[in-house]
Amino acid sequence: MTTYVIAPDSFKGSLSAVQFCEIACTVIAQCDPDAQVISLPLSDGGEGFVESFLFAGLAEKETVWVADPIGRKTRADFAWQPQTATAIIEMAQASGLPKLKNEERNPLQAHTYGTGQLIDAAIKRGAKKIILGLGGSATNDGGMGALHALGLPFLDDKGKEVGLGGQALKTIASIGDLPPELLEIEWLIASDVTNPLLGKTGATSVFGPQKGVNERNFDALENGLENWALKIAEKTGRQVKDLPGAGAAGGMAAGFIGLLGAQVKPGFEVLNSALALEKTLSAQKVDWLITGEGRLDEQTRFGKLPMQMALLGEKYSIPTVAVCGSLGTHPSELPEFKAVFSILSRPMAELDAFRFAPMLLKQTLYSIIALLKR
């Protein structure tokens, strides 16, 4: 009997990690009905982070109504562990890029206020520890919107509260007193981003273009984040300007590290510990490990989730197969994988690739399992 472990990240915008696992289970049941399948939908802290905990039965689902990146009402979930009073929150649930149409993307106005409302709901639920997954944001506001929703006042030079969005950061003259209950919470950020807040590898330069950053608004956003770092340093003495990882989620990491003293761990490391991935891989004979995400390229080697799974596969002598939407490098550049497959069977528009992703994944996995089964 063949044992498969299915452990993908999401194909952002088209397939969740849970959907990937469900499709894989269906295909394996058809192609290799005697096989054992272990599903482990994963996330690096972005889209699907909460779902990973819920799917594994490690937490209960809580649903609340919050603001999306431009202030409309949207539903968002967080995972709640009553025994440890821990809330697992994914900022993309409230403030993620998929919440907006392409024409609605405007980092000057987009904000994280809804993520703050999500966090506030967890605090009212009794949270003593909050694990905040960062990734996939539509925002460039340094987390100011979320912190404002949690009761932190941000004032201009006339003593009035500033507005929301990346455009408001440059108008902050001072930060008011932090609600004391926020400092009693243990804050842990789950993120695999190592980019600093500012500069050529910072939040605005690297992640901004997909959110609507262009030559007309770049300076306002970059200068806003620079002022944000300055005001944080004046308030708490913490220097986040050049801190690796501070640029995650449009600089949201900088705000929570600088003002709330949040600690940071790679998202994969958080899930690896919570789901006991290594125990799963070492406790029994696993024949094949199948992982993947929306795009595999030269960046995959630098800590991306599929590579982390491939390295675990090597550790326990399990061959790893990767499946992706877009393959941006030659498979020989990713020798940790036994094989790499793109689900795209022909050139197609991005919209069509997103729409047909479930069917394309099913077809690709059918061929893979037919090849792998013993």
Side-chain angles (χ1 to χ4, degrees), residues 11-356:
F11 284 36
K12 291 179 176 58
S14 58
L15 278 168
S16 72
V18 169
Q19 288 173 311
F20 185 113
C21 289
E22 291 171 346
I23 291 170
C25 285
T26 299
V27 170
I28 292 171
Q30 294 173 341
C31 296
D32 195 357
D34 294 326
Q36 178 185 11
V37 183
I38 301 170
S39 293
L40 295 170
L42 302 176
S43 167
D44 59 5
E47 182 182 333
F49 188 62
V50 164
E51 203 169 28
S52 295
F53 283 84
L54 297 176
F55 187 91
L58 298 175
E60 304 168 358
K61 183 166 76 171
E62 299 279 342
T63 303
V64 294
W65 286 94
V66 299
D68 77 359
I70 56 175
R72 299 171 301 202
K73 282 189 175 181
T74 189
R75 287 179 54 165
D77 300 328
F78 68 90
W80 173 244
Q81 296 178 329
Q83 66 277 18
T84 61
T86 298
I88 299 98
I89 293 172
E90 173 189 322
M91 74 89 60
Q93 289 261 345
S95 311
L97 203 57
K99 294 288 183 181
L100 303 179
K101 299 176 183 177
N102 284 347
E103 61 270 21
E104 294 175 330
R105 297 177 182 182
N106 184 349
L108 289 171
Q109 297 179 355
H111 55 75
T112 54
Y113 192 88
T115 298
Q117 292 176 307
L118 194 54
I119 295 169
D120 185 58
I123 292 173
K124 289 175 178 173
R125 188 73 171 81
K128 300 301 181 186
K129 178 178 181 179
I130 291 177
I131 302 174
L132 180 59
L134 298 187
S137 79
T139 61
N140 209 81
D141 75 346
M144 186 266 285
L147 292 163
H148 179 61
L150 292 171
L152 274 73
F154 301 98
L155 310 175
D156 63 18
D157 57 6
K158 296 180 180 178
K160 295 182 179 180
E161 289 197 352
V162 304
L164 294 173
Q167 63 190 354
L169 293 177
K170 65 180 183 294
T171 67
I172 297 174
S174 64
I175 299 175
D177 293 333
L178 282 69
E181 61 270 20
L182 296 183
L183 299 177
E184 296 172 0
I185 292 171
E186 180 184 352
W187 299 91
L188 176 63
I189 289 173
S191 170
D192 284 342
V193 169
T194 58
N195 301 68
L197 185 64
L198 303 170
K200 292 182 179 180
T201 58
T204 310
S205 296
V206 175
F207 305 112
Q210 64 182 336
K211 307 173 187 183
V213 171
N214 53 47
E215 67 276 3
R216 295 186 302 276
N217 58 30
F218 178 87
D219 287 345
L221 292 163
E222 184 76 350
N223 293 339
L225 286 177
E226 187 170 13
N227 184 54
W228 180 232
L230 176 63
K231 298 310 174 186
I232 288 173
E234 290 176 359
K235 182 66 180 179
T236 67
R238 296 189 180 103
Q239 301 290 336
V240 297
K241 183 177 178 180
D242 301 312
L243 187 68
M252 189 170 184
F256 277 70
I257 294 167
L259 292 171
L260 298 179
Q263 300 299 305
V264 183
K265 274 189 177 182
F268 180 81
E269 186 178 319
V270 173
L271 269 186
N272 187 11
S273 174
L275 273 61
L277 295 180
E278 296 204 42
K279 182 177 180 181
T280 299
L281 296 177
S282 62
Q284 58 191 306
K285 184 180 184 300
V286 176
D287 296 288
W288 293 100
L289 174 57
I290 298 177
T291 186
E293 65 177 352
R295 179 175 174 81
L296 296 177
D297 54 29
E298 62 277 1
Q299 295 300 313
T300 300
R301 303 193 57 79
F302 300 102
K304 291 296 186 82
L305 191 146
M307 181 57 66
Q308 298 280 13
M309 291 308 302
L311 293 175
L312 282 182
E314 284 189 337
K315 182 176 179 178
Y316 295 104
S317 301
I318 304 168
T320 302
V321 175
V323 183
C324 64
S326 171
L327 179 58
T329 189
H330 195 279
S332 64
E333 297 299 316
L334 301 170
E336 293 82 0
F337 298 98
K338 186 72 172 179
V340 178
F341 297 86
S342 167
I343 67 173
L344 297 181
S345 55
R346 55 183 169 81
M348 63 180 67
E350 183 179 67
L351 187 62
D352 289 336
F354 279 24
R355 185 172 20 146
F356 297 125

